[in-house]
Amino acid sequence: MESFRSLTVTQRDQVLVEQQVFDIFKTFYNLPPSSQSFMLELQRENHVEYLTKGLTGLGPSFCVLDANRPWICYWILHSIALLDEFVDPELEDNTIDFLSRCQGPNGGYAGGPGQASKILDMIIVKLLPTIFCMLTMPHLATTYAAVNSLVTLGGDKALSSINREKLYMFLRQMKDASGGFRMHDGGEIDVRACYTAISVASLLNILDDELVQNVGNYILSCQTYEGGISGEPGSEAHGGYTFCGLATMILINEVDRLDLSSLTDWVVFRQGVEGGFQGRTNKLVDGCYSFWQGGIFALLKRLNSTKGVKPIPLGDGEGSGEESPQTTASSDAAGEEGLNEDLSLGGSHSEIGDQHNTSSQVNVIDIDHNHSKGHANVEPLFNSLALQQYILLCSQELNGGLRDKPGKSRDHYHTCYCLSGLSVCQRSWLEDEDSPPLPRAVLGPYSNLLEPIHPLYNVVLDRYWGAHEFFTKS
């Protein structure tokens, strides 16, 4: 006890989390096989019930998230899609209508219908309801969430509700002279803003040289001495920002400018003894980083498979991809390992008509999973089965929803990113993108297998394809 008191607060917190996690693992290993199978089973029906209930209405405690309502839509809709389920037509129509009311008259999406930027505006809203919609202040983060939500819903009604012309002008207005983007009018400039702007433009097929100009320079200025990427120059490397920065550099076809070796070194050491990932050095494990860090590996895997190609396209390798075992201390409990994977990513983006032509288009490879039939030659750089074990045993609540860590409550944010990370690691050993993972790559029953995602955007793959086809024709 005396030695425990001598530890720092950070060290004590880490010890307590490890004890909670290892107690769960110990209990699991002492259970009979039938009970172990149940604990490793993804409780699909309970998760869908929890998620659907959240989309129809939330209690008063959620008022603190009032400016994040498109995010709540995205977290829930994406989670439902990962589980290969759909919302009913009425709820889908209501969601499209709600997000349309979040769309500002000058482009982009706000955190809710009519949400304004100043207290005075809020007073005016009460006095003059007729100009309510005119005061909507769009924000890049909620624009990303709204667009991803509509892409996830899919179909002409959802996709045609996005005013791409005005959204493009909003993105141009958020562009800063530094090369980065502001989150909103007068807001902060950071890597988050760069990713959300470039991701939305790429998905909607409106990415051009004006938007891309000097973005790479800004991202590069945020790569730290550790190798990861910070939110802004001079800050600490962070898993969320590292994913955003790496994905952005891939989308603008400048990923080879990053120090990928040091970035890889940084991210591989973020997986802890619990099996899950921490977001920063000396921080606690958190289920959401199953995607924010795990998604980085999905991108690095494809970059490594194409090493030597300039510019580096994702998934354009022609290697043979031999099966390779993953040898780890926890593999005895988790079962045998899976295979290599390769998905063909990249991007090709054009303008809306002639309204914002530029002298040259962005040099980005077409995002096409059929672009390459080659196999990746690189083994997973993380323990995918240990991560699945953490998600299923420590993050999953059996009555529905997923959480940060033991002792925390479930929420839609962690449900979304835990499931996204689970999908990524289930396919981390996939050899042929046209084949499903082998059972040994999926911890627990094979019914745990989730839908594949497009890791650059974190939308379910078939929903991405629907949007890609729609906006290519538009």
Side-chain angles (χ1 to χ4, degrees), residues 10-11 14 224-230 235-240 242 262-263 265-272 277-285 289 293:
T10 301
Q11 290 172 324
Q14 177 63 33
T224 76
Y225 72 95
E226 289 186 280
I229 296 173
S230 61
S235 296
E236 183 182 9
H238 183 283
T242 301
S262 64
L263 188 153
D265 285 345
W266 178 81
V267 71
V268 296
F269 284 105
R270 302 285 70 77
Q271 187 171 25
F277 284 101
Q278 59 181 188
R280 290 176 285 163
T281 303
N282 292 327
K283 291 293 183 177
L284 301 176
V285 64
Y289 293 108
Q293 303 285 30

PDB file of all heavy atoms in Angstrom, residues 10-11 14 224-230 235-240 242 262-263 265-272 277-285 289 293:
ATOM      1  N   THR A  10      -0.964   9.573 -12.363  1.00  0.00           N
ATOM      2  CA  THR A  10      -1.014   8.856 -13.640  1.00  0.00           C
ATOM      3  C   THR A  10      -0.693   7.380 -13.448  1.00  0.00           C
ATOM      4  O   THR A  10      -1.370   6.504 -14.009  1.00  0.00           O
ATOM      5  CB  THR A  10      -0.021   9.474 -14.649  1.00  0.00           C
ATOM      6  OG1 THR A  10      -0.354  10.848 -14.864  1.00  0.00           O
ATOM      7  CG2 THR A  10      -0.057   8.742 -15.977  1.00  0.00           C
ATOM      8  N   GLN A  11       0.334   7.094 -12.657  1.00  0.00           N
ATOM      9  CA  GLN A  11       0.711   5.707 -12.422  1.00  0.00           C
ATOM     10  C   GLN A  11      -0.368   4.951 -11.648  1.00  0.00           C
ATOM     11  O   GLN A  11      -0.670   3.796 -11.947  1.00  0.00           O
ATOM     12  CB  GLN A  11       2.042   5.661 -11.663  1.00  0.00           C
ATOM     13  CG  GLN A  11       3.243   6.101 -12.493  1.00  0.00           C
ATOM     14  CD  GLN A  11       4.497   6.237 -11.654  1.00  0.00           C
ATOM     15  OE1 GLN A  11       4.447   6.657 -10.497  1.00  0.00           O
ATOM     16  NE2 GLN A  11       5.638   5.859 -12.227  1.00  0.00           N
ATOM     17  N   GLN A  14      -3.207   4.084 -13.929  1.00  0.00           N
ATOM     18  CA  GLN A  14      -2.847   2.983 -14.817  1.00  0.00           C
ATOM     19  C   GLN A  14      -2.927   1.641 -14.087  1.00  0.00           C
ATOM     20  O   GLN A  14      -3.456   0.660 -14.622  1.00  0.00           O
ATOM     21  CB  GLN A  14      -1.440   3.198 -15.387  1.00  0.00           C
ATOM     22  CG  GLN A  14      -0.928   2.073 -16.274  1.00  0.00           C
ATOM     23  CD  GLN A  14      -1.754   1.872 -17.526  1.00  0.00           C
ATOM     24  OE1 GLN A  14      -2.295   2.816 -18.085  1.00  0.00           O
ATOM     25  NE2 GLN A  14      -1.867   0.621 -17.978  1.00  0.00           N
ATOM     26  N   THR A 224       5.195  15.429 -34.901  1.00  0.00           N
ATOM     27  CA  THR A 224       6.038  15.749 -33.755  1.00  0.00           C
ATOM     28  C   THR A 224       7.311  14.906 -33.732  1.00  0.00           C
ATOM     29  O   THR A 224       7.488  13.975 -34.517  1.00  0.00           O
ATOM     30  CB  THR A 224       5.282  15.527 -32.437  1.00  0.00           C
ATOM     31  OG1 THR A 224       5.205  14.116 -32.172  1.00  0.00           O
ATOM     32  CG2 THR A 224       3.874  16.104 -32.508  1.00  0.00           C
ATOM     33  N   TYR A 225       8.179  15.218 -32.770  1.00  0.00           N
ATOM     34  CA  TYR A 225       9.420  14.470 -32.602  1.00  0.00           C
ATOM     35  C   TYR A 225       9.152  12.998 -32.276  1.00  0.00           C
ATOM     36  O   TYR A 225       9.989  12.134 -32.529  1.00  0.00           O
ATOM     37  CB  TYR A 225      10.277  15.100 -31.496  1.00  0.00           C
ATOM     38  CG  TYR A 225       9.728  14.881 -30.106  1.00  0.00           C
ATOM     39  CD1 TYR A 225      10.179  13.810 -29.322  1.00  0.00           C
ATOM     40  CD2 TYR A 225       8.755  15.723 -29.577  1.00  0.00           C
ATOM     41  CE1 TYR A 225       9.671  13.596 -28.052  1.00  0.00           C
ATOM     42  CE2 TYR A 225       8.248  15.507 -28.302  1.00  0.00           C
ATOM     43  CZ  TYR A 225       8.705  14.449 -27.553  1.00  0.00           C
ATOM     44  OH  TYR A 225       8.193  14.227 -26.298  1.00  0.00           O
ATOM     45  N   GLU A 226       7.964  12.703 -31.713  1.00  0.00           N
ATOM     46  CA  GLU A 226       7.619  11.315 -31.397  1.00  0.00           C
ATOM     47  C   GLU A 226       7.279  10.518 -32.656  1.00  0.00           C
ATOM     48  O   GLU A 226       7.377   9.296 -32.658  1.00  0.00           O
ATOM     49  CB  GLU A 226       6.417  11.267 -30.453  1.00  0.00           C
ATOM     50  CG  GLU A 226       6.689  11.715 -29.045  1.00  0.00           C
ATOM     51  CD  GLU A 226       5.465  11.496 -28.165  1.00  0.00           C
ATOM     52  OE1 GLU A 226       4.552  12.329 -28.216  1.00  0.00           O
ATOM     53  OE2 GLU A 226       5.429  10.478 -27.442  1.00  0.00           O
ATOM     54  N   GLY A 227       6.820  11.206 -33.686  1.00  0.00           N
ATOM     55  CA  GLY A 227       6.413  10.538 -34.916  1.00  0.00           C
ATOM     56  C   GLY A 227       4.938  10.666 -35.213  1.00  0.00           C
ATOM     57  O   GLY A 227       4.510  10.604 -36.358  1.00  0.00           O
ATOM     58  N   GLY A 228       4.127  10.810 -34.146  1.00  0.00           N
ATOM     59  CA  GLY A 228       2.700  11.011 -34.348  1.00  0.00           C
ATOM     60  C   GLY A 228       2.409  12.435 -34.784  1.00  0.00           C
ATOM     61  O   GLY A 228       3.316  13.253 -34.967  1.00  0.00           O
ATOM     62  N   ILE A 229       1.136  12.733 -34.958  1.00  0.00           N
ATOM     63  CA  ILE A 229       0.718  14.046 -35.437  1.00  0.00           C
ATOM     64  C   ILE A 229      -0.128  14.715 -34.367  1.00  0.00           C
ATOM     65  O   ILE A 229      -0.988  14.082 -33.750  1.00  0.00           O
ATOM     66  CB  ILE A 229      -0.072  13.911 -36.753  1.00  0.00           C
ATOM     67  CG1 ILE A 229       0.846  13.336 -37.840  1.00  0.00           C
ATOM     68  CG2 ILE A 229      -0.646  15.254 -37.205  1.00  0.00           C
ATOM     69  CD1 ILE A 229       0.134  12.994 -39.142  1.00  0.00           C
ATOM     70  N   SER A 230       0.129  15.991 -34.144  1.00  0.00           N
ATOM     71  CA  SER A 230      -0.605  16.758 -33.141  1.00  0.00           C
ATOM     72  C   SER A 230      -1.734  17.544 -33.804  1.00  0.00           C
ATOM     73  O   SER A 230      -1.835  17.615 -35.028  1.00  0.00           O
ATOM     74  CB  SER A 230       0.348  17.720 -32.422  1.00  0.00           C
ATOM     75  OG  SER A 230       0.920  18.636 -33.354  1.00  0.00           O
ATOM     76  N   SER A 235       2.126  21.023 -30.520  1.00  0.00           N
ATOM     77  CA  SER A 235       1.359  20.274 -29.525  1.00  0.00           C
ATOM     78  C   SER A 235       1.806  18.819 -29.466  1.00  0.00           C
ATOM     79  O   SER A 235       2.730  18.406 -30.168  1.00  0.00           O
ATOM     80  CB  SER A 235      -0.142  20.359 -29.839  1.00  0.00           C
ATOM     81  OG  SER A 235      -0.600  21.693 -29.735  1.00  0.00           O
ATOM     82  N   GLU A 236       1.108  18.032 -28.635  1.00  0.00           N
ATOM     83  CA  GLU A 236       1.479  16.640 -28.392  1.00  0.00           C
ATOM     84  C   GLU A 236       0.842  15.708 -29.417  1.00  0.00           C
ATOM     85  O   GLU A 236      -0.324  15.895 -29.803  1.00  0.00           O
ATOM     86  CB  GLU A 236       1.021  16.253 -26.981  1.00  0.00           C
ATOM     87  CG  GLU A 236       1.389  14.844 -26.551  1.00  0.00           C
ATOM     88  CD  GLU A 236       0.859  14.521 -25.159  1.00  0.00           C
ATOM     89  OE1 GLU A 236       0.077  15.319 -24.606  1.00  0.00           O
ATOM     90  OE2 GLU A 236       1.237  13.452 -24.630  1.00  0.00           O
ATOM     91  N   ALA A 237       1.590  14.699 -29.844  1.00  0.00           N
ATOM     92  CA  ALA A 237       1.057  13.699 -30.767  1.00  0.00           C
ATOM     93  C   ALA A 237      -0.152  13.001 -30.157  1.00  0.00           C
ATOM     94  O   ALA A 237      -0.157  12.664 -28.980  1.00  0.00           O
ATOM     95  CB  ALA A 237       2.138  12.685 -31.113  1.00  0.00           C
ATOM     96  N   HIS A 238      -1.166  12.762 -30.988  1.00  0.00           N
ATOM     97  CA  HIS A 238      -2.456  12.253 -30.503  1.00  0.00           C
ATOM     98  C   HIS A 238      -3.031  11.312 -31.559  1.00  0.00           C
ATOM     99  O   HIS A 238      -2.927  11.571 -32.762  1.00  0.00           O
ATOM    100  CB  HIS A 238      -3.384  13.453 -30.269  1.00  0.00           C
ATOM    101  CG  HIS A 238      -4.720  13.110 -29.694  1.00  0.00           C
ATOM    102  ND1 HIS A 238      -5.732  12.558 -30.449  1.00  0.00           N
ATOM    103  CD2 HIS A 238      -5.214  13.268 -28.436  1.00  0.00           C
ATOM    104  CE1 HIS A 238      -6.802  12.384 -29.683  1.00  0.00           C
ATOM    105  NE2 HIS A 238      -6.514  12.798 -28.461  1.00  0.00           N
ATOM    106  N   GLY A 239      -3.640  10.217 -31.090  1.00  0.00           N
ATOM    107  CA  GLY A 239      -4.150   9.207 -32.018  1.00  0.00           C
ATOM    108  C   GLY A 239      -5.183   9.730 -32.988  1.00  0.00           C
ATOM    109  O   GLY A 239      -5.159   9.419 -34.179  1.00  0.00           O
ATOM    110  N   GLY A 240      -6.127  10.532 -32.491  1.00  0.00           N
ATOM    111  CA  GLY A 240      -7.153  11.069 -33.371  1.00  0.00           C
ATOM    112  C   GLY A 240      -6.573  11.971 -34.437  1.00  0.00           C
ATOM    113  O   GLY A 240      -6.930  11.880 -35.622  1.00  0.00           O
ATOM    114  N   THR A 242      -3.463  11.972 -35.446  1.00  0.00           N
ATOM    115  CA  THR A 242      -2.579  11.200 -36.323  1.00  0.00           C
ATOM    116  C   THR A 242      -3.383  10.517 -37.418  1.00  0.00           C
ATOM    117  O   THR A 242      -2.990  10.519 -38.594  1.00  0.00           O
ATOM    118  CB  THR A 242      -1.770  10.174 -35.518  1.00  0.00           C
ATOM    119  OG1 THR A 242      -0.995  10.864 -34.526  1.00  0.00           O
ATOM    120  CG2 THR A 242      -0.824   9.379 -36.412  1.00  0.00           C
ATOM    121  N   SER A 262       8.793   6.954 -38.449  1.00  0.00           N
ATOM    122  CA  SER A 262       8.631   7.394 -37.063  1.00  0.00           C
ATOM    123  C   SER A 262       7.156   7.387 -36.664  1.00  0.00           C
ATOM    124  O   SER A 262       6.821   7.122 -35.498  1.00  0.00           O
ATOM    125  CB  SER A 262       9.232   8.786 -36.859  1.00  0.00           C
ATOM    126  OG  SER A 262       8.548   9.763 -37.611  1.00  0.00           O
ATOM    127  N   LEU A 263       6.257   7.650 -37.609  1.00  0.00           N
ATOM    128  CA  LEU A 263       4.831   7.582 -37.316  1.00  0.00           C
ATOM    129  C   LEU A 263       4.447   6.152 -36.928  1.00  0.00           C
ATOM    130  O   LEU A 263       3.714   5.931 -35.967  1.00  0.00           O
ATOM    131  CB  LEU A 263       4.019   8.057 -38.518  1.00  0.00           C
ATOM    132  CG  LEU A 263       2.508   8.245 -38.334  1.00  0.00           C
ATOM    133  CD1 LEU A 263       1.976   9.306 -39.309  1.00  0.00           C
ATOM    134  CD2 LEU A 263       1.729   6.948 -38.533  1.00  0.00           C
ATOM    135  N   ASP A 265       6.482   3.835 -35.727  1.00  0.00           N
ATOM    136  CA  ASP A 265       7.077   3.553 -34.426  1.00  0.00           C
ATOM    137  C   ASP A 265       6.193   4.080 -33.295  1.00  0.00           C
ATOM    138  O   ASP A 265       6.000   3.414 -32.269  1.00  0.00           O
ATOM    139  CB  ASP A 265       8.467   4.196 -34.322  1.00  0.00           C
ATOM    140  CG  ASP A 265       9.513   3.451 -35.123  1.00  0.00           C
ATOM    141  OD1 ASP A 265       9.241   2.304 -35.510  1.00  0.00           O
ATOM    142  OD2 ASP A 265      10.584   4.020 -35.373  1.00  0.00           O
ATOM    143  N   TRP A 266       5.671   5.285 -33.482  1.00  0.00           N
ATOM    144  CA  TRP A 266       4.846   5.888 -32.434  1.00  0.00           C
ATOM    145  C   TRP A 266       3.563   5.103 -32.229  1.00  0.00           C
ATOM    146  O   TRP A 266       3.195   4.778 -31.098  1.00  0.00           O
ATOM    147  CB  TRP A 266       4.525   7.339 -32.801  1.00  0.00           C
ATOM    148  CG  TRP A 266       3.650   8.021 -31.798  1.00  0.00           C
ATOM    149  CD1 TRP A 266       4.037   8.572 -30.615  1.00  0.00           C
ATOM    150  CD2 TRP A 266       2.230   8.195 -31.880  1.00  0.00           C
ATOM    151  NE1 TRP A 266       2.943   9.090 -29.948  1.00  0.00           N
ATOM    152  CE2 TRP A 266       1.824   8.873 -30.706  1.00  0.00           C
ATOM    153  CE3 TRP A 266       1.269   7.860 -32.825  1.00  0.00           C
ATOM    154  CZ2 TRP A 266       0.495   9.211 -30.453  1.00  0.00           C
ATOM    155  CZ3 TRP A 266      -0.055   8.193 -32.583  1.00  0.00           C
ATOM    156  CH2 TRP A 266      -0.437   8.864 -31.411  1.00  0.00           C
ATOM    157  N   VAL A 267       2.873   4.762 -33.301  1.00  0.00           N
ATOM    158  CA  VAL A 267       1.551   4.151 -33.158  1.00  0.00           C
ATOM    159  C   VAL A 267       1.631   2.707 -32.650  1.00  0.00           C
ATOM    160  O   VAL A 267       0.763   2.260 -31.902  1.00  0.00           O
ATOM    161  CB  VAL A 267       0.752   4.242 -34.481  1.00  0.00           C
ATOM    162  CG1 VAL A 267       1.291   3.320 -35.552  1.00  0.00           C
ATOM    163  CG2 VAL A 267      -0.727   3.941 -34.231  1.00  0.00           C
ATOM    164  N   VAL A 268       2.673   1.971 -33.018  1.00  0.00           N
ATOM    165  CA  VAL A 268       2.741   0.576 -32.561  1.00  0.00           C
ATOM    166  C   VAL A 268       2.903   0.494 -31.043  1.00  0.00           C
ATOM    167  O   VAL A 268       2.460  -0.483 -30.421  1.00  0.00           O
ATOM    168  CB  VAL A 268       3.878  -0.223 -33.244  1.00  0.00           C
ATOM    169  CG1 VAL A 268       3.637  -0.349 -34.729  1.00  0.00           C
ATOM    170  CG2 VAL A 268       5.237   0.385 -32.962  1.00  0.00           C
ATOM    171  N   PHE A 269       3.482   1.508 -30.436  1.00  0.00           N
ATOM    172  CA  PHE A 269       3.672   1.501 -28.985  1.00  0.00           C
ATOM    173  C   PHE A 269       2.479   2.076 -28.228  1.00  0.00           C
ATOM    174  O   PHE A 269       2.532   2.194 -27.005  1.00  0.00           O
ATOM    175  CB  PHE A 269       4.945   2.257 -28.612  1.00  0.00           C
ATOM    176  CG  PHE A 269       6.198   1.472 -28.885  1.00  0.00           C
ATOM    177  CD1 PHE A 269       7.005   1.780 -29.967  1.00  0.00           C
ATOM    178  CD2 PHE A 269       6.559   0.402 -28.078  1.00  0.00           C
ATOM    179  CE1 PHE A 269       8.148   1.044 -30.233  1.00  0.00           C
ATOM    180  CE2 PHE A 269       7.701  -0.334 -28.336  1.00  0.00           C
ATOM    181  CZ  PHE A 269       8.500  -0.016 -29.427  1.00  0.00           C
ATOM    182  N   ARG A 270       1.411   2.386 -28.941  1.00  0.00           N
ATOM    183  CA  ARG A 270       0.210   2.864 -28.265  1.00  0.00           C
ATOM    184  C   ARG A 270      -0.703   1.717 -27.854  1.00  0.00           C
ATOM    185  O   ARG A 270      -1.672   1.932 -27.126  1.00  0.00           O
ATOM    186  CB  ARG A 270      -0.558   3.851 -29.144  1.00  0.00           C
ATOM    187  CG  ARG A 270       0.231   5.084 -29.578  1.00  0.00           C
ATOM    188  CD  ARG A 270       0.423   6.122 -28.472  1.00  0.00           C
ATOM    189  NE  ARG A 270       1.323   5.714 -27.404  1.00  0.00           N
ATOM    190  CZ  ARG A 270       2.646   5.708 -27.497  1.00  0.00           C
ATOM    191  NH1 ARG A 270       3.261   6.069 -28.616  1.00  0.00           N
ATOM    192  NH2 ARG A 270       3.384   5.333 -26.465  1.00  0.00           N
ATOM    193  N   GLN A 271      -0.439   0.490 -28.301  1.00  0.00           N
ATOM    194  CA  GLN A 271      -1.215  -0.662 -27.835  1.00  0.00           C
ATOM    195  C   GLN A 271      -0.629  -1.127 -26.512  1.00  0.00           C
ATOM    196  O   GLN A 271       0.552  -1.437 -26.411  1.00  0.00           O
ATOM    197  CB  GLN A 271      -1.212  -1.794 -28.859  1.00  0.00           C
ATOM    198  CG  GLN A 271      -2.144  -2.941 -28.479  1.00  0.00           C
ATOM    199  CD  GLN A 271      -2.319  -3.962 -29.586  1.00  0.00           C
ATOM    200  OE1 GLN A 271      -1.455  -4.111 -30.445  1.00  0.00           O
ATOM    201  NE2 GLN A 271      -3.442  -4.685 -29.574  1.00  0.00           N
ATOM    202  N   GLY A 272      -1.481  -1.167 -25.485  1.00  0.00           N
ATOM    203  CA  GLY A 272      -0.983  -1.460 -24.148  1.00  0.00           C
ATOM    204  C   GLY A 272      -1.167  -2.906 -23.742  1.00  0.00           C
ATOM    205  O   GLY A 272      -1.647  -3.747 -24.507  1.00  0.00           O
ATOM    206  N   PHE A 277      -5.912   0.368 -27.132  1.00  0.00           N
ATOM    207  CA  PHE A 277      -4.985   1.454 -27.462  1.00  0.00           C
ATOM    208  C   PHE A 277      -5.191   2.655 -26.549  1.00  0.00           C
ATOM    209  O   PHE A 277      -6.315   2.948 -26.119  1.00  0.00           O
ATOM    210  CB  PHE A 277      -5.192   1.923 -28.905  1.00  0.00           C
ATOM    211  CG  PHE A 277      -4.629   0.992 -29.931  1.00  0.00           C
ATOM    212  CD1 PHE A 277      -5.466   0.117 -30.607  1.00  0.00           C
ATOM    213  CD2 PHE A 277      -3.274   0.983 -30.233  1.00  0.00           C
ATOM    214  CE1 PHE A 277      -4.964  -0.750 -31.569  1.00  0.00           C
ATOM    215  CE2 PHE A 277      -2.762   0.124 -31.182  1.00  0.00           C
ATOM    216  CZ  PHE A 277      -3.605  -0.751 -31.856  1.00  0.00           C
ATOM    217  N   GLN A 278      -4.100   3.351 -26.288  1.00  0.00           N
ATOM    218  CA  GLN A 278      -4.150   4.656 -25.651  1.00  0.00           C
ATOM    219  C   GLN A 278      -4.075   5.713 -26.753  1.00  0.00           C
ATOM    220  O   GLN A 278      -3.587   5.456 -27.858  1.00  0.00           O
ATOM    221  CB  GLN A 278      -2.978   4.845 -24.671  1.00  0.00           C
ATOM    222  CG  GLN A 278      -1.624   4.716 -25.325  1.00  0.00           C
ATOM    223  CD  GLN A 278      -0.443   4.886 -24.372  1.00  0.00           C
ATOM    224  OE1 GLN A 278       0.678   4.946 -24.824  1.00  0.00           O
ATOM    225  NE2 GLN A 278      -0.673   4.942 -23.064  1.00  0.00           N
ATOM    226  N   GLY A 279      -4.539   6.902 -26.454  1.00  0.00           N
ATOM    227  CA  GLY A 279      -4.511   7.962 -27.459  1.00  0.00           C
ATOM    228  C   GLY A 279      -3.213   8.732 -27.505  1.00  0.00           C
ATOM    229  O   GLY A 279      -2.831   9.266 -28.541  1.00  0.00           O
ATOM    230  N   ARG A 280      -2.531   8.814 -26.361  1.00  0.00           N
ATOM    231  CA  ARG A 280      -1.273   9.546 -26.269  1.00  0.00           C
ATOM    232  C   ARG A 280      -0.331   8.792 -25.340  1.00  0.00           C
ATOM    233  O   ARG A 280      -0.752   7.917 -24.584  1.00  0.00           O
ATOM    234  CB  ARG A 280      -1.508  10.961 -25.710  1.00  0.00           C
ATOM    235  CG  ARG A 280      -2.243  11.889 -26.640  1.00  0.00           C
ATOM    236  CD  ARG A 280      -2.513  13.231 -25.971  1.00  0.00           C
ATOM    237  NE  ARG A 280      -3.581  13.150 -24.996  1.00  0.00           N
ATOM    238  CZ  ARG A 280      -3.806  14.057 -24.046  1.00  0.00           C
ATOM    239  NH1 ARG A 280      -2.985  15.093 -23.912  1.00  0.00           N
ATOM    240  NH2 ARG A 280      -4.807  13.919 -23.212  1.00  0.00           N
ATOM    241  N   THR A 281       0.918   9.171 -25.380  1.00  0.00           N
ATOM    242  CA  THR A 281       1.909   8.552 -24.514  1.00  0.00           C
ATOM    243  C   THR A 281       1.530   8.754 -23.040  1.00  0.00           C
ATOM    244  O   THR A 281       1.149   9.856 -22.630  1.00  0.00           O
ATOM    245  CB  THR A 281       3.300   9.179 -24.777  1.00  0.00           C
ATOM    246  OG1 THR A 281       3.619   9.032 -26.159  1.00  0.00           O
ATOM    247  CG2 THR A 281       4.365   8.497 -23.942  1.00  0.00           C
ATOM    248  N   ASN A 282       1.628   7.671 -22.258  1.00  0.00           N
ATOM    249  CA  ASN A 282       1.348   7.692 -20.818  1.00  0.00           C
ATOM    250  C   ASN A 282      -0.109   8.009 -20.481  1.00  0.00           C
ATOM    251  O   ASN A 282      -0.401   8.483 -19.378  1.00  0.00           O
ATOM    252  CB  ASN A 282       2.277   8.676 -20.088  1.00  0.00           C
ATOM    253  CG  ASN A 282       3.717   8.210 -20.092  1.00  0.00           C
ATOM    254  OD1 ASN A 282       3.983   7.015 -20.060  1.00  0.00           O
ATOM    255  ND2 ASN A 282       4.643   9.158 -20.135  1.00  0.00           N
ATOM    256  N   LYS A 283      -1.015   7.744 -21.412  1.00  0.00           N
ATOM    257  CA  LYS A 283      -2.441   7.893 -21.135  1.00  0.00           C
ATOM    258  C   LYS A 283      -3.078   6.518 -20.973  1.00  0.00           C
ATOM    259  O   LYS A 283      -2.491   5.491 -21.304  1.00  0.00           O
ATOM    260  CB  LYS A 283      -3.123   8.674 -22.257  1.00  0.00           C
ATOM    261  CG  LYS A 283      -2.716  10.140 -22.321  1.00  0.00           C
ATOM    262  CD  LYS A 283      -3.210  10.895 -21.091  1.00  0.00           C
ATOM    263  CE  LYS A 283      -2.884  12.376 -21.173  1.00  0.00           C
ATOM    264  NZ  LYS A 283      -3.413  13.120 -20.016  1.00  0.00           N
ATOM    265  N   LEU A 284      -4.318   6.512 -20.494  1.00  0.00           N
ATOM    266  CA  LEU A 284      -5.014   5.253 -20.252  1.00  0.00           C
ATOM    267  C   LEU A 284      -5.603   4.685 -21.541  1.00  0.00           C
ATOM    268  O   LEU A 284      -5.878   5.416 -22.492  1.00  0.00           O
ATOM    269  CB  LEU A 284      -6.135   5.464 -19.228  1.00  0.00           C
ATOM    270  CG  LEU A 284      -5.715   5.998 -17.857  1.00  0.00           C
ATOM    271  CD1 LEU A 284      -6.952   6.247 -16.990  1.00  0.00           C
ATOM    272  CD2 LEU A 284      -4.756   5.039 -17.166  1.00  0.00           C
ATOM    273  N   VAL A 285      -5.809   3.381 -21.540  1.00  0.00           N
ATOM    274  CA  VAL A 285      -6.468   2.720 -22.657  1.00  0.00           C
ATOM    275  C   VAL A 285      -7.880   3.297 -22.816  1.00  0.00           C
ATOM    276  O   VAL A 285      -8.521   3.694 -21.851  1.00  0.00           O
ATOM    277  CB  VAL A 285      -6.530   1.194 -22.416  1.00  0.00           C
ATOM    278  CG1 VAL A 285      -7.377   0.860 -21.199  1.00  0.00           C
ATOM    279  CG2 VAL A 285      -7.033   0.449 -23.643  1.00  0.00           C
ATOM    280  N   TYR A 289     -10.081   4.415 -29.327  1.00  0.00           N
ATOM    281  CA  TYR A 289      -8.848   4.366 -30.117  1.00  0.00           C
ATOM    282  C   TYR A 289      -8.676   3.034 -30.841  1.00  0.00           C
ATOM    283  O   TYR A 289      -7.723   2.865 -31.601  1.00  0.00           O
ATOM    284  CB  TYR A 289      -7.644   4.680 -29.236  1.00  0.00           C
ATOM    285  CG  TYR A 289      -7.662   6.110 -28.757  1.00  0.00           C
ATOM    286  CD1 TYR A 289      -7.940   6.416 -27.429  1.00  0.00           C
ATOM    287  CD2 TYR A 289      -7.461   7.159 -29.651  1.00  0.00           C
ATOM    288  CE1 TYR A 289      -8.008   7.734 -27.005  1.00  0.00           C
ATOM    289  CE2 TYR A 289      -7.523   8.477 -29.236  1.00  0.00           C
ATOM    290  CZ  TYR A 289      -7.795   8.758 -27.914  1.00  0.00           C
ATOM    291  OH  TYR A 289      -7.864  10.063 -27.499  1.00  0.00           O
ATOM    292  N   GLN A 293      -6.581   4.636 -33.599  1.00  0.00           N
ATOM    293  CA  GLN A 293      -5.246   4.052 -33.786  1.00  0.00           C
ATOM    294  C   GLN A 293      -5.306   2.841 -34.719  1.00  0.00           C
ATOM    295  O   GLN A 293      -4.466   2.682 -35.600  1.00  0.00           O
ATOM    296  CB  GLN A 293      -4.644   3.626 -32.435  1.00  0.00           C
ATOM    297  CG  GLN A 293      -4.534   4.729 -31.395  1.00  0.00           C
ATOM    298  CD  GLN A 293      -3.405   5.723 -31.657  1.00  0.00           C
ATOM    299  OE1 GLN A 293      -3.029   5.980 -32.793  1.00  0.00           O
ATOM    300  NE2 GLN A 293      -2.871   6.314 -30.599  1.00  0.00           N
TER     301      GLN A 293
END
